[in-house]
Amino acid sequence: MQRELYDLYAKKMMMVCLRYAPTTFEAEDIVQEGFVKVFANIGNFKKDCPLEFWIRKIMVNTALKYLRQKSLLTVSHETEEAENVSAGNYNLDAYSLDELLGMIQRLAPRYRMVFNLYAIEGYNHKEIGEMLEISEGTSKSQYSRARAILQNMLVNQDKPYQEHVINR
Amino acid sequence: MLSTDNNEHGGLEQRLQQRFQDAEATPGPDVWSRIDYDLAMLENKRYKKRALFYRQLAAACFILFILSGAALLLHFRQDTNHDLVAHANEANPQNQAASQPATETIAFNQAEDQSLVESEAGSVKSRAANSSIIADAGSSENTSIINTDLTIQKPANTPAKTETGSRSVNNKKADHTQQYSGTIAAVQQNQQVNPESVLENKEQSITAVYMPASQAIANVPDSYTSPESLNPLLLRNATLGTIGSTATTPQSIALEKPENVLAAATEQEKEEGTKENSRWNVGLGYASTYFTQNVNIPRQMITSMVIRRIDGTPPPGPTISGESEENLRDAYTEFYDNTEAALSFNIDAKAGFRIGKRFKILSGLGYSQNTSRTRTSYVVEQFLVNPVTNERVKLQPTTIFLPSLHTFTTDSISVIKTDPFSVDYSYQMLSVPLGAQVEGNLGKQWFWYANGSMAANFLIQSSIKSARAEVASVTYGPTDDSPFRKVQFSGNVGFGFGKRLSDALQVSFGPEYRSYFKTMLTDDKAAVSQGKPYTIGVNMGISYTLGK
């Protein structure tokens, strides 16, 4: 039964974790830890939401904890250059999923986390602030920066974006 | 600037959400084995924690049982002593009078002779404790007798009192003197340890009856010179006419010989002890039962495999050929059809404590071996592929039962039809029952009983044994990672008839039903709905009533 559940959701959850983790190996670690939590707490699942949503939430929380443990969620030092969005147009559909994923993974950990939580998972800034233990305003400003950086990447896809980020 | 710049949940976010919503990425092949390992470790940790809890619970129950037993035993002994005193006093009315409470004696003495009590009030009160001890001594309790001697033979402990008491007696009238003579006579009855002093006292007592009071007091030996050292309770004996009765009927003195009283008391003690001890009994019970394990295996596993294969997606479990798939389906059906209860047994050693005339509380230790049996004609072979050498390794064949309980982790599976053979599922448990029994008479020798109990059952070994040599037999010990529940509770009811073979020995016979409160499989191994196991059988018991 556990194996069946794993087979059913492992691929989707791997993609979720890849968006948060900087490398595939770390994403697999998060998947492993997340599924252990899922199986250990499956009895607590109250069926008030879809099972996939519940598992996804566990994966996101596990990723958050993982990145925090690795001290990857500390504030990064960035140059103002990151906020200078160059004018231009882009077509998101022209990019493959791997390319989009690569761009998200290139974001600084804190920006990546805020961007994922807000843009893809659909959390609001207040919830993100509580999850990351930052203020709502900080969440907003970090999201704006992350979004600007991503847009720069999309516009300048041919010349890979040089993110001036010092990862701690 | 893009149109999405001022609208944070604009096109960029929506399109990213759409792209990533159902996106998938395949994790590495070893991720599941790492998860499986982590889960096994987690389960092991939980089991250890649970085992520790149950061990502590069992230890606490055992200690509670021992303490309760000790308390009951103590209580029962005290009852015996009290009854013994009562019986001893029936045999010797003087002792009965002597065993009255000290306060009553004080009150009585006050009424009898206010002046005497006034002069001795302090002494009497201060001797209250000794009085009660002496009164108990009259009931032939050995330790109390020793106390009596100590009280009497240590006049030095109360020199002032002795002096005061002597003076008081000398100044009183003859009836007061007679009181003290009577007191001495009563004390003689209580001197049961030292035969010489007993004889001496007896002579003195008889002499005291026929001699003047002053002479009687003068003849009191040194060890008795202090009336105050004597039990003031005994004053009451004298007042009630001990002397008078002995004077008119000297034979009563002979009847009150200490030896006779002691013998009578000992006899009473024996009789009373016999009656009281009969509250306790020990017994052995043997029940021959049929055990239904009610284990279901996940039949739908095969269905999901078929659907996935039709869809063209790889199956989640091992690969399986079409023929094996058909055999697997038949093996499942066969397991459901051919699994049946098998002969099992249960042995109990219990101690019982009677409450009232009809009820008993029972507790003890039990051992049971529950067995179910399947007749099958399918052997399951599982294969693993070595990722390095790409070599196919065949595991030892099993029946459909085991691979169904564990997740299919092998690479391929083959189900072969063979000649029918039997597979026994055996579960050995230790149990700690606690229950109650009610009994009623059906005549002089026959009786009926009905009982109910609950028990904590500890699985000490489970085994799956095949009659076919090539099929692996599996045995799980108490610490092994087994799919079976290691601790669970059960309820037991039974009734029947019994016969008393003698006053102490009785046998009983009757049907019993035991139901376990949880399933045999642990929750995480129970992929499908499970039934609760139960046994039905006949119980035969023999019990022995202690002390009869």
Side-chain angles (χ1 to χ4, degrees), chain B residues 15 28 68 96 105 127 133 149 182 207 216 249 272 281 344 361 380 400 425 428 431 439 443 476 498 534 546:
Chain B
R15 273 180 289 168
S68 309
Q96 188 177 4
T105 306
R127 288 193 307 266
I133 293 169
D149 280 351
T207 309
T249 55
E272 199 59 30
N281 69 73
S344 308
I361 290 178
V380 177
I400 189 62
Y425 313 96
Q428 295 172 36
S431 57
E439 292 177 2
Y476 297 105
Y534 62 88
L546 296 174

Side-chain angles (χ1 to χ4, degrees), chain B residues 378-437:
Chain B
Y378 293 95
V379 173
V380 177
E381 292 178 339
Q382 296 179 82
F383 301 91
L384 281 173
V385 177
N386 188 325
V388 181
T389 60
N390 211 23
E391 191 181 347
R392 202 163 174 243
V393 181
K394 181 184 169 186
L395 303 178
Q396 196 164 5
T398 65
T399 62
I400 189 62
F401 186 78
L402 267 185
S404 300
L405 298 185
H406 298 289
T407 313
F408 284 90
T409 51
T410 46
D411 295 312
S412 63
I413 188 168
S414 170
V415 184
I416 303 160
K417 186 160 188 177
T418 63
D419 296 332
F421 61 98
S422 62
V423 181
D424 289 341
Y425 313 96
S426 175
Y427 311 95
Q428 295 172 36
M429 296 181 180
L430 271 182
S431 57
V432 183
L434 178 64
Q437 179 163 307

Side-chain angles (χ1 to χ4, degrees), chain B residues 40-316:
Chain B
M41 296 302 289
L42 193 69
E43 183 60 29
N44 194 32
K45 202 183 284 180
R46 277 183 184 171
Y47 167 71
K48 278 181 182 171
K49 202 183 264 184
R50 238 178 329 188
L52 183 69
F53 169 74
Y54 283 118
R55 256 182 238 145
Q56 287 172 340
L57 188 68
C61 287
F62 180 74
I63 290 168
L64 194 66
F65 177 73
I66 295 294
L67 287 177
S68 309
L72 284 170
L73 195 65
L74 191 66
H75 178 70
F76 145 75
R77 282 201 168 180
Q78 282 173 348
D79 282 354
T80 307
N81 290 343
H82 289 154
D83 290 346
L84 195 59
V85 169
H87 282 284
N89 286 337
E90 277 174 21
N92 186 353
Q94 284 74 22
N95 282 349
Q96 188 177 4
S99 65
Q100 293 298 318
T103 50
E104 191 181 332
T105 306
I106 292 166
F108 185 87
N109 287 338
Q110 282 173 339
E112 185 68 18
D113 191 336
Q114 189 62 35
S115 62
L116 177 63
V117 171
E118 279 173 5
S119 67
E120 296 183 349
S123 310
V124 168
K125 284 177 185 172
S126 67
R127 288 193 307 266
N130 283 341
S131 302
S132 60
I133 293 169
I134 293 169
D136 280 341
S139 66
S140 81
E141 186 74 19
N142 288 341
T143 53
S144 300
I145 289 168
I146 291 164
N147 287 340
T148 308
D149 280 351
L150 288 173
T151 307
I152 295 170
Q153 290 172 2
K154 287 182 180 176
N157 288 345
T158 54
K161 292 171 189 172
T162 303
E163 192 181 341
T164 310
S166 297
R167 258 190 264 119
S168 299
V169 169
N170 288 331
N171 293 335
K172 298 301 167 186
K173 296 174 186 175
D175 56 345
H176 288 155
T177 310
Q178 195 178 10
Q179 275 187 348
Y180 282 98
S181 301
T183 303
I184 294 162
V187 168
Q188 287 170 356
Q189 292 158 17
N190 290 301
Q191 301 304 305
Q192 296 166 357
V193 174
N194 187 345
E196 288 177 8
S197 64
V198 166
L199 288 173
E200 191 182 346
N201 290 342
K202 184 186 163 191
E203 287 170 10
Q204 286 169 357
S205 178
I206 294 167
T207 309
V209 172
Y210 300 107
M211 66 179 58
S214 57
Q215 193 181 346
I217 291 167
N219 282 340
V220 172
D222 289 343
S223 57
Y224 296 151
T225 50
S226 167
E228 296 206 9
S229 69
L230 301 176
N231 188 347
L233 293 173
L234 300 177
L235 292 171
R236 183 178 171 185
N237 285 359
T239 314
L240 287 173
T242 305
I243 289 296
S245 63
T246 52
T248 51
T249 55
Q251 291 85 353
S252 65
I253 295 172
L255 285 175
E256 291 161 5
K257 278 182 181 177
E259 301 93 292
N260 293 345
V261 174
L262 183 62
T266 309
E267 208 161 299
Q268 292 285 347
E269 184 183 14
K270 279 181 186 171
E271 285 177 13
E272 199 59 30
T274 300
K275 282 181 185 174
E276 292 296 330
N277 277 336
S278 64
R279 277 176 181 273
W280 287 96
N281 69 73
V282 289
L284 271 178
Y286 173 84
S288 184
T289 59
Y290 274 91
F291 170 73
T292 304
Q293 64 177 0
N294 259 337
V295 171
N296 296 327
I297 56 177
R299 206 171 183 171
Q300 65 270 26
M301 172 73 82
I302 195 169
T303 313
S304 66
M305 285 164 62
V306 172
I307 289 170
R308 281 182 177 246
R309 296 178 102 214
I310 291 168
D311 290 348
T313 53

